[in-house]
Amino acid sequence: MSNDLSTSPTETRPGNGLLLLAVLGGMFLAMLDQTIVGTALPRITQELGGTGLYTWVVTAYLLTSTITVPLYGRLSDTYGRKPLLLTGVVLFLIGSLLCGLAQDMSQLIGFRALQGLGAGALLPLSLALVADLFPPDKSGRVQGALGGVMALSYIAGPFLGGVFTDQASWRWAFLVNLPIGLVLIAIIVVRLPHVAGQGRGVRPDYLGIAVFSGAIGALLLGLTEKGLDDHAWTSGPVLWPVVTSVLLLTLFVLVERRAAQPIIPLELFRNRTYTLANATSFLTAFCLYAGVVFLPRYFQESLGLSATESGLRIYPLMLGMVAGSGIAGVLMSRTQRYKPWLIAGVGLIVLGALLCAGLTAETSGLALAGWMALLGLGMGPMLSGLTVAVQYSVPPRFIGTASANLTFFRQIGGSVALALAGTLYASVVRDEAPVHGLSAAHASAAASVIPWLAVGGALVALVALVALPGGRIKALAAGPATLDG
């Protein structure tokens, strides 16, 4: 069997539709678990205690899932997709089962970390498998479907978490993964052939993995402290983890330059399209998190809605993202170009975000639905088009690595965005509440944070997108043999 993933036998096999369904399901599970737990946490702490450990239920999952994303991507290029994907799904399901059975907060935190170790495989390997399974003339449309699933999971998580908590038990926020995951395993075992990677007999980059894990773990800890507890940037809980991360990242670069099989090949960043697409992924995470984090907060804190109700109210954003991703996918397939649709998406994001600057506690629900739809329509192409851009900018042997790093930079961008916006949100509430009341203060904070995050991120991303070379799928899909293009 060929080691070149671009000639995967799955391209000519029947049943790719079933594999695509498994890919979509795996993506949905991984991304759903980033958000579904938030609405269940108050009930969890009531039952298990450990209020002081509240944030660690989220942070433990965030740490392990983010750190392992690029590792799974690179290892799948080296050893093949199938064994790495199966490993990730099995770890994810074991973690989900144990989370659903947890008897105290310490157990839940540990099991969430285990769940995250598996979740890190699901999204990047799903994106890589699409490139393996489908030819270039269909990739835009399929990536549009994947982007739609990503959008759905961001919005559905808080809603489903609220429903499970209110109508059954918070434990079902974890146990619901089991039947879906078992079906995914069956499809992967039966339908997905094992295509060997190019790393047989090569010693894994253990030192690079260790240093990278420490660097990103420290960075996420510092950013989480900044975003959740409103520390100053110079405070110990924020400053020292960030400084440690910078030092370890410097060491990581030195290690990777000498590694025979680096976990993140630095030569990829010499490719202009690859580098600019990852920068855009990082920046547009600001736009994404502006909507999916702070609009639900507006609904709950300013309008007094429940978590379940706020999940329903934000559906225009989700539907816009699904529609935007799908439309961009169709347009990319028809025109074999991605750059124009990414630039058009930035324009829609900026328009929707600027309209949100007029947000108050009395804003018409219909008007806000229109603003959210614009934001979603603009974000949709970013979830599908950037994947197409980055996958066709690298040789086929690096598709897993490229897909994973795109996801990684989006998640890091989201963490940075929340750290920056948390301070602004808290300061606006603190200043406005004594004068106008708490409800109006939260509306004013949302009206400040959403445009600031989304417009700022979108405009800098626009610079990167304009600088993208080419932008034609067929030209890139010819399979560049080197990174010089």
Side-chain angles (χ1 to χ4, degrees):
M1 189 173 291
S2 172
N3 287 347
D4 186 350
L5 292 174
S6 66
T7 59
S8 169
T10 54
E11 287 186 3
T12 58
R13 287 171 60 96
N16 278 6
L18 190 60
L19 278 173
L20 178 60
L21 183 64
V23 165
L24 295 174
M27 283 183 61
F28 183 74
L29 283 181
M31 301 192 72
L32 186 71
D33 260 66
Q34 294 182 11
T35 56
I36 195 172
V37 176
T39 48
L41 270 177
R43 188 71 58 84
I44 290 173
T45 54
Q46 287 178 14
E47 184 171 326
L48 298 184
T51 304
L53 300 173
Y54 183 99
T55 59
W56 276 99
V57 177
V58 176
T59 303
Y61 182 89
L62 174 69
L63 282 171
T64 54
S65 62
T66 302
I67 290 169
T68 53
V69 160
L71 307 184
Y72 276 116
R74 181 63 176 135
L75 291 173
S76 77
D77 283 340
T78 305
Y79 302 107
R81 309 268 187 257
K82 186 170 183 175
L84 271 298
L85 184 58
L86 282 173
T87 299
V89 175
V90 169
L91 285 175
F92 180 78
L93 293 185
I94 292 173
S96 298
L97 174 62
L98 293 174
C99 284
L101 300 175
Q103 299 301 305
D104 59 49
M105 285 291 276
S106 297
Q107 288 183 12
L108 182 61
I109 291 166
F111 298 150
R112 280 285 280 171
L114 175 62
Q115 192 185 33
L117 285 176
L122 300 184
L123 181 57
L125 298 194
S126 296
L127 295 174
L129 277 170
V130 167
D132 296 345
L133 295 170
F134 296 93
D137 62 329
K138 294 183 180 179
S139 65
R141 200 176 304 240
V142 176
Q143 291 293 351
L146 264 65
V149 169
M150 292 167 69
L152 176 65
S153 64
Y154 276 120
I155 309 302
F159 171 69
L160 291 176
V163 169
F164 285 133
T165 302
D166 294 341
Q167 305 301 325
S169 166
W170 61 265
R171 296 181 185 276
W172 279 103
F174 302 106
L175 298 177
V176 69
N177 296 328
L178 298 179
I180 302 173
L182 290 173
V183 172
L184 296 184
I185 289 176
I187 295 174
I188 293 167
V189 169
V190 174
R191 289 286 186 178
L192 182 64
H194 175 57
V195 180
Q198 299 185 356
R200 287 173 295 182
V202 177
R203 182 176 179 270
D205 179 20
Y206 293 120
L207 181 58
I209 291 173
V211 176
F212 177 82
S213 299
I216 301 306
L219 177 63
L220 290 175
L221 283 174
L223 293 175
T224 301
E225 286 290 335
K226 175 62 179 168
L228 293 177
D229 297 322
D230 195 26
H231 291 295
W233 284 103
T234 54
S235 66
V238 177
L239 178 63
W240 292 119
V242 172
V243 169
T244 300
S245 176
V246 171
L247 295 175
L248 287 174
L249 284 173
T250 303
L251 176 61
F252 175 70
V253 170
L254 297 176
V255 169
E256 294 301 272
R257 291 178 65 179
R258 299 172 62 89
Q261 190 76 13
I263 203 68
I264 297 183
L266 300 180
E267 76 233 48
L268 291 177
F269 291 97
R270 298 185 196 133
N271 182 293
R272 189 171 158 193
T273 298
Y274 176 86
T275 300
L276 290 173
N278 279 301
T280 303
S281 182
F282 176 89
L283 292 163
T284 52
F286 286 43
C287 313
L288 176 65
Y289 279 66
V292 301
V293 172
F294 291 101
L295 282 169
R297 192 166 182 179
Y298 161 78
F299 288 128
Q300 294 179 46
E301 302 285 359
S302 184
L303 303 187
L305 302 181
S306 69
T308 304
E309 290 172 319
S310 73
L312 290 172
R313 281 287 200 90
I314 203 170
Y315 259 54
L317 177 65
M318 180 271 286
L319 293 174
M321 290 168 70
V322 172
S325 182
I327 292 169
V330 171
L331 291 172
M332 284 187 292
S333 287
R334 287 184 178 176
T335 65
Q336 291 297 291
R337 299 183 69 88
Y338 55 82
K339 185 174 176 177
W341 318 121
L342 291 172
I343 292 175
V346 169
L348 292 172
I349 290 171
V350 170
L351 179 58
L354 288 176
L355 288 171
C356 287
L359 198 61
T360 69
E362 289 75 39
T363 295
S364 159
L366 186 60
L368 180 54
W371 303 348
M372 286 190 289
L374 284 172
L375 270 173
L377 283 169
M379 273 307 306
M382 304 303 164
L383 300 178
S384 52
L386 289 175
T387 304
V388 171
V390 80
Q391 287 184 342
Y392 290 131
S393 70
V394 301
R397 69 182 185 276
F398 287 125
I399 282 177
T401 300
S403 304
N405 287 346
L406 190 72
T407 302
F408 170 75
F409 281 109
R410 182 182 293 120
Q411 292 183 194
I412 294 294
S415 297
V416 172
L418 292 180
L420 295 172
T423 300
L424 175 60
Y425 192 98
S427 66
V428 173
V429 171
R430 187 168 53 246
D431 294 342
E432 295 282 335
V435 180
H436 301 290
L438 198 56
S439 175
H442 279 285
S444 181
S448 299
V449 166
I450 292 171
W452 181 79
L453 265 188
V455 175
L459 291 180
V460 181
L462 179 61
V463 176
L465 289 174
V466 169
L468 272 177
R472 291 192 63 86
I473 294 176
K474 281 187 175 177
L476 292 172
T482 70
L483 293 169
D484 297 331

